């Protein structure tokens, strides 16, 4: 999260704080949630069953459950599916290319091929 930067279109410094973070159950730790809360970033991260059980077992000392919006979380699967499609290329999945520029080039070539396949009307 500290290295995240999104360039601005109209000029100025890059954005380093997203409006929203959609995460998987694995990113539901207290430390991650506190870090994002301190930076003023909204989170949509489901709480794993074991954390729910621990919180309920503690009763009133367990605190409130973190907010979770199921409708917002549904959009996360688009990212997962595109990432899984990207990993179908063996060179990208296994990271054969050691240089970052070659690895990025392979990803861009994959994206171009996928995009042109989606635009064509031939199978």
């Amino acid at each position: 999260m500290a290295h995240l930067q999104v360039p601005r279109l109209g000029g100025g410094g890059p954005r380093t704080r997203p409006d929203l973070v959609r995460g998987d159950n694995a990113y539901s730790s207290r430390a991650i949630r506190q870090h994002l809360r301190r930076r003023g970033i909204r989170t949509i991260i489901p709480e794993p069953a074991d954390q729910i059980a621990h919180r309920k077992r503690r009763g009133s000392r367990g605190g409130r459950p973190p907010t979770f919006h199921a409708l917002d979380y549904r959009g996360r699967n688009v990212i997962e599916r595109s990432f899984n499609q990207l990993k179908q290329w063996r060179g990208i999945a296994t990271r054969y290319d050691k240089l970052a520029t070659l690895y990025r080039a392979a990803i861009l070539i994959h994206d171009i091929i996928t995009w042109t396949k989606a635009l064509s009307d031939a199978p």
Side-chain angles (χ1 to χ4, degrees):
M1 293 295 296
H3 301 290
L4 179 71
Q5 290 188 351
V6 179
R8 294 186 192 267
L9 297 177
R15 287 186 54 181
T16 58
R17 192 177 79 201
D19 297 327
L20 176 70
V21 170
R22 291 183 180 116
D24 197 3
N25 291 6
Y27 301 101
S28 182
S29 72
R30 182 177 294 151
I32 291 174
R33 286 184 186 275
Q34 284 177 351
H35 173 74
L36 294 173
R37 196 177 300 123
R38 250 186 267 118
R39 293 192 62 201
I41 301 171
R42 265 186 8 157
T43 60
I44 299 176
I45 303 173
E47 193 176 18
D50 65 333
Q51 288 181 3
I52 293 172
H54 292 304
R55 187 174 35 76
K56 286 185 177 180
R57 189 182 68 233
R58 292 188 57 155
S60 62
R61 291 177 295 130
R64 276 190 254 164
T67 59
F68 177 72
H69 302 283
L71 289 175
D72 282 342
Y73 188 70
R74 286 185 190 169
R76 189 181 162 277
N77 75 27
V78 175
I79 298 165
E80 279 293 319
R81 284 187 285 139
S82 63
F83 196 73
N84 288 335
Q85 181 187 19
L86 184 66
K87 289 185 344 187
Q88 294 298 313
W89 273 29
R90 183 178 305 239
I92 294 172
T94 56
R95 187 72 196 258
Y96 286 137
D97 299 321
K98 299 301 178 197
L99 296 177
T101 54
L102 295 177
Y103 187 73
R104 185 170 189 273
I107 290 174
L108 290 174
I109 290 170
H110 176 272
D111 289 345
I112 290 168
I113 291 171
T114 304
W115 183 61
T116 54
K117 280 183 181 178
L119 289 179
S120 71
D121 56 355

